[in-house]
Amino acid sequence: MGCCDLHFRRGGAADDESRWGVEVPPGIDPTKAHPSRRYNYWLGGKDNFAVDRESAETVASAFPTVRLSARENRAFLKRVVTFLAGEAGVHQFLDIGTGLPSAGNVHEVAQAIEPTSRIVYVDNDPVVLVHARALLTSDPAGRTAYIEADLRDPEKILADTDLASTLDLSRPVALMLVATMHFVTDEHDPYGIVRRLLSALPSGSHLVMTHATNDHLTPEQYAENVEANERSGVPFRLRSTEEFTRFFDGLDLLPPGITSVVDWRPEIPAEERPSVEDVSMLCAVARVP
């Protein structure tokens, strides 16, 4: 997964701290699970704490195919960036909820197609910041920047000077919200957050989103998932297709519309793809009119 020297030890809090030398870097709480590090664990990475692994296993106890879901979500990211940078001609990306760097980051995929592509990454985990500064290096013809900010504070993201100096907001931008909005619970106005971010982007921009869904769960399974997510220590909100579709109000959905990540412009035959039920991840791409 990660390709840098900053790896966490497989052990308890003491091992996690000793891995850094004297203590964990400032701003990082090794006693509190974080979505980015938990996702890293599901993808087979080593850049996570014991608390992240424990949280991840708690979720997996109710959703045993979560690792498969994470891998399919990552595969979708590569396909959608390939489409946007190529066929759609979008060469600016605002990727919020970046997560820990791994093979096939947005800038790597986009700049392989168009070297002048510009990417701004956003995440609120200091561990991601440490890795991003070391690894998210741009093609000389393009540019990348990293902003440490919370998705729930869109004003801070939009006002950041690194965003303004990296992206030209008079030209189309792809807003990437890949596996992030399910961490925004209802009290934080998730639909308002997306509207505010889109309001800063011009016509021809695109919204890309994936989101965990409860569409395939029985009431009993849904209750079990909610309880496991509460125990995991990471706020989480499964949403139905109807709830997910609301994020795209006023936008022009691109084919195939609202679908599963496994069925969005797939590269392998249907009989070889994982089941929609096992992955349980909705996705869509839409254009700002």
Side-chain angles (χ1 to χ4, degrees), residues 1-2 10 33-74 100 102 178-180 182-183 212 225 228-229 232-236 238 279 281:
M1 170 65 179
R10 298 284 183 180
H34 192 281
S36 294
R37 301 192 301 266
R38 196 171 68 177
Y39 191 64
N40 171 264
Y41 172 70
W42 284 327
L43 287 173
K46 299 178 181 178
D47 303 314
N48 45 72
F49 292 117
V51 68
D52 303 308
R53 301 188 285 275
E54 291 162 6
S55 175
E57 291 299 338
T58 297
V59 173
S61 68
F63 182 27
T65 54
V66 64
R67 290 176 178 81
L68 172 66
S69 184
R71 291 196 300 270
E72 290 300 316
N73 188 75
R74 190 75 188 180
L100 285 144
S102 69
V178 177
T180 57
H182 42 228
F183 296 112
N225 271 264
N229 279 311
S232 77
V234 176
F236 198 86
L238 292 165
V279 175
M281 186 76 72

Side-chain angles (χ1 to χ4, degrees), residues 14-278:
D15 282 336
D16 286 331
E17 292 186 12
S18 65
R19 157 266 149 281
W20 289 99
V22 177
E23 60 182 8
V24 173
I28 299 174
D29 184 354
T31 69
K32 185 177 181 181
H34 192 281
S36 294
R37 301 192 301 266
R38 196 171 68 177
Y39 191 64
N40 171 264
Y41 172 70
W42 284 327
L43 287 173
K46 299 178 181 178
D47 303 314
N48 45 72
F49 292 117
V51 68
D52 303 308
R53 301 188 285 275
E54 291 162 6
S55 175
E57 291 299 338
T58 297
V59 173
S61 68
F63 182 27
T65 54
V66 64
R67 290 176 178 81
L68 172 66
S69 184
R71 291 196 300 270
E72 290 300 316
N73 188 75
R74 190 75 188 180
F76 163 83
L77 175 69
K78 182 179 180 180
R79 296 198 306 275
V80 76
V81 174
T82 299
F83 160 74
L84 289 169
E87 183 179 334
V90 178
H91 302 139
Q92 299 191 107
F93 297 82
L94 176 56
D95 182 11
I96 304 179
T98 302
L100 285 144
S102 69
N105 296 292
V106 170
H107 76 282
E108 294 171 324
V109 178
Q111 291 180 348
I113 297 168
E114 176 48 65
T116 63
S117 295
R118 293 180 166 231
I119 297 89
V120 171
Y121 293 106
V122 182
D123 207 291
N124 68 341
D125 182 4
V127 171
V128 174
L129 174 61
V130 171
H131 289 68
R133 285 176 172 165
L135 296 175
L136 300 183
T137 54
S138 176
D139 186 289
R143 187 168 179 181
T144 63
Y146 175 81
I147 298 171
E148 187 176 1
D150 195 311
L151 172 58
R152 294 168 295 184
D153 188 1
E155 300 299 337
K156 180 179 180 181
I157 295 171
L158 295 173
D160 195 282
T161 56
D162 283 337
L163 186 148
S165 63
T166 305
L167 302 182
D168 178 358
L169 296 186
S170 70
R171 297 172 50 236
V173 175
L175 172 60
M176 311 288 292
L177 296 172
V178 177
T180 57
M181 290 308 298
H182 42 228
F183 296 112
V184 181
T185 50
D186 295 346
E187 63 266 30
H188 294 291
D189 188 17
Y191 300 104
I193 288 172
V194 174
R195 286 194 301 269
R196 177 65 187 101
L197 291 167
L198 288 173
S199 72
L201 307 182
S203 174
S205 295
H206 289 68
L207 171 62
V208 177
M209 190 184 300
T210 69
H211 198 297
T213 183
N214 57 1
D215 282 355
H216 312 294
L217 302 177
T218 66
E220 293 77 18
Q221 289 171 328
Y222 176 69
E224 183 181 3
N225 271 264
V226 170
E227 190 273 335
N229 279 311
E230 289 176 350
R231 284 192 291 115
S232 77
V234 176
F236 198 86
R237 172 71 156 81
L238 292 165
R239 292 187 171 96
S240 66
T241 294
E242 181 179 3
E243 291 172 311
F244 179 69
T245 302
R246 283 183 55 196
F247 286 111
F248 298 89
D249 286 351
L251 306 180
D252 298 328
L253 282 167
L254 275 58
I258 307 291
T259 188
S260 168
V261 293
V262 301
D263 291 333
W264 195 91
R265 304 190 178 213
E267 297 174 341
I268 59 176
E271 62 271 17
E272 297 179 20
R273 299 198 292 269
S275 73
V276 169
E277 293 79 10
D278 282 347

